[in-house]
Amino acid sequence: MNASRFLGRFLFLLFPLLLLLAAGFSAQAGDSPAEGPHLQISSISGNLEVSRPSSIFVVLENNASTAEETDETGFNKANASSIVAELHSPDDRIKIFSGRQNAGQLAAGENATVQFMALADGAALGIYPLQLRLNYSRLSQVTASGEEGAPNFVFAYEKASIELPLQAEVVLGPKIEQEKLEGETLPKAESNLQVFLANRGDEPALDLEMQARPSPPFLMVENGQEKSSLAPGESALRSLSVFTDENATSGYYALPCRVSYRDGQDGGRKSQELALLIYVGEGAPSPWLYLGAAGLILLFLAGGFWGLRRFMSGRRRLRIVKS
């Protein structure tokens, strides 16, 4: 018997035994199989900001032993394929927007990240339980057929599922507010202002930028180029230049602006709207007003001088008549 026929007979006799062993690895729904893929949550990142859609990142890992990897025939008990992850919340105040997420295939020791969008609507600050359901396929049996020297192998897969608990924290997130504003502007004038922004939230705001927009009576706005990060409780200075309408009356006006930042969770930028309160002072009187006042004063002086001359002239005539 040559080597190829011996190898074929050996494999033909070996695979029924492997088939019986694989049958013992069946997992009921909700149970992790004793052997085969061992799916688990490796890490979780991302918090839920109050009343704002937020991302939760879950890293899945196949913790099966790499020793369960087999030869080049492809019979591999440790692989989990067609993995689909679905996140559920038992609390109605935590709404999960994302549907099922595909995680693909995980061999032993590999991991994959799935992302879910959720909203904490009316939930108080704190930690909330969630449930992650994983549906996947795994190799259940191998059937050998054909001749001894050239057997055919049919691989059969079965569906399995497991539910894993996890937690998510509801936080305020970064909350940017105007702490104070130094300076004021005048009608028909350009003024430089100093705006102090503070982070009143419980998460840092990274690479913070501010963009104010013109709004009556502020006709033109020039934003500074400052960029910085604000930890909770910190404040930072932003410069601003505004040109005010000449017809603006004295008082406080709101200047709309947008602040944008990264919160360190998904790397994307978030933004919020602010209204900066700016005081417009009394405008300088018109030069024509000064000229008009000066003319009235001169006219009054001229009239007084003329009246005084008339009065003095009348007194001289009276003296002449008496004499």
Side-chain angles (χ1 to χ4, degrees):
M1 183 182 293
N2 58 32
S4 62
R5 286 183 60 84
F6 176 81
L7 178 61
R9 182 181 293 274
F10 176 76
L11 292 176
F12 188 84
L13 296 174
L14 176 63
F15 271 89
L17 176 60
L18 294 176
L19 173 61
L20 293 176
L21 292 174
F25 300 148
S26 295
Q28 296 180 353
D31 296 330
S32 179
E35 294 184 81
H38 294 173
L39 298 180
Q40 65 180 26
I41 296 175
S42 175
S43 64
I44 304 169
S45 61
N47 296 321
L48 300 178
E49 294 185 17
V50 173
S51 301
R52 173 179 288 181
S54 306
S55 295
I56 299 176
F57 300 88
V58 180
V59 179
L60 303 175
E61 181 182 13
N62 185 352
N63 197 34
S65 172
T66 54
E68 297 179 12
E69 300 285 343
T70 57
D71 59 25
E72 67 277 3
T73 61
F75 183 67
N76 193 327
K77 299 175 296 183
N79 283 356
S81 59
S82 303
I83 303 173
V84 177
E86 191 171 5
L87 189 63
H88 299 276
S89 171
D91 194 318
D92 293 338
R93 295 173 298 178
I94 307 297
K95 297 178 173 57
I96 309 299
F97 293 150
S98 301
R100 298 178 176 181
Q101 304 294 306
N102 294 318
Q105 175 175 307
L106 289 181
E110 293 183 345
N111 59 58
T113 302
V114 288
Q115 177 183 0
F116 298 94
M117 292 294 295
L119 173 68
D121 187 10
L125 302 183
I127 297 176
Y128 292 80
L130 300 173
Q131 199 76 13
L132 183 68
R133 183 177 183 85
L134 300 177
N135 296 316
Y136 61 97
S137 297
R138 67 186 188 90
L139 187 62
S140 62
Q141 65 180 6
V142 177
T143 303
S145 62
E147 298 180 359
E148 294 182 3
N152 296 321
F153 303 112
V154 178
F155 297 89
Y157 291 85
E158 70 174 4
K159 294 182 178 179
S161 65
I162 184 174
E163 291 192 356
L164 303 173
L166 66 150
Q167 294 178 330
E169 185 176 5
V170 175
V171 299
L172 283 175
K175 300 296 178 185
I176 309 302
E177 298 179 358
Q178 175 186 340
E179 187 175 54
K180 63 179 179 177
L181 187 145
E182 293 183 353
E184 63 178 50
T185 184
L186 298 172
K188 201 180 180 180
E190 182 178 1
S191 303
N192 295 319
L193 308 174
Q194 306 294 319
V195 183
F196 291 85
L197 299 178
N199 183 0
R200 303 301 186 195
D202 53 11
E203 294 283 311
L206 309 177
D207 298 331
L208 179 70
E209 295 180 349
M210 184 186 77
Q211 290 292 323
R213 304 184 297 273
S215 178
F218 306 112
L219 303 182
M220 290 186 295
V221 175
E222 184 177 348
N223 295 277
Q225 301 301 314
E226 301 93 344
K227 180 186 294 187
S228 61
S229 298
L230 288 182
E234 288 186 346
S235 60
L237 174 66
R238 293 291 183 273
S239 60
L240 187 66
S241 178
V242 297
F243 184 83
T244 308
D245 187 354
E246 61 180 341
N247 296 319
T249 57
S250 178
Y252 283 95
Y253 295 87
L255 178 67
C257 76
R258 171 176 293 180
V259 291
S260 62
Y261 53 85
R262 294 187 299 106
D263 62 2
Q265 293 192 36
D266 56 9
R269 296 193 68 82
K270 297 182 178 180
S271 63
Q272 68 177 79
E273 295 292 328
L274 283 181
L276 302 178
L277 291 180
I278 300 177
Y279 183 74
V280 177
E282 296 286 351
S286 170
W288 294 107
L289 182 61
Y290 288 115
L291 291 176
L296 289 175
I297 293 173
L298 291 175
L299 183 61
F300 175 79
L301 292 176
F305 181 73
W306 179 78
L308 180 62
R309 290 189 60 184
R310 289 286 304 267
F311 175 75
M312 295 301 296
S313 176
R315 292 197 63 177
R316 289 195 194 95
R317 292 193 188 98
L318 182 60
R319 291 189 186 129
I320 295 173
V321 171
K322 285 183 178 182
S323 57

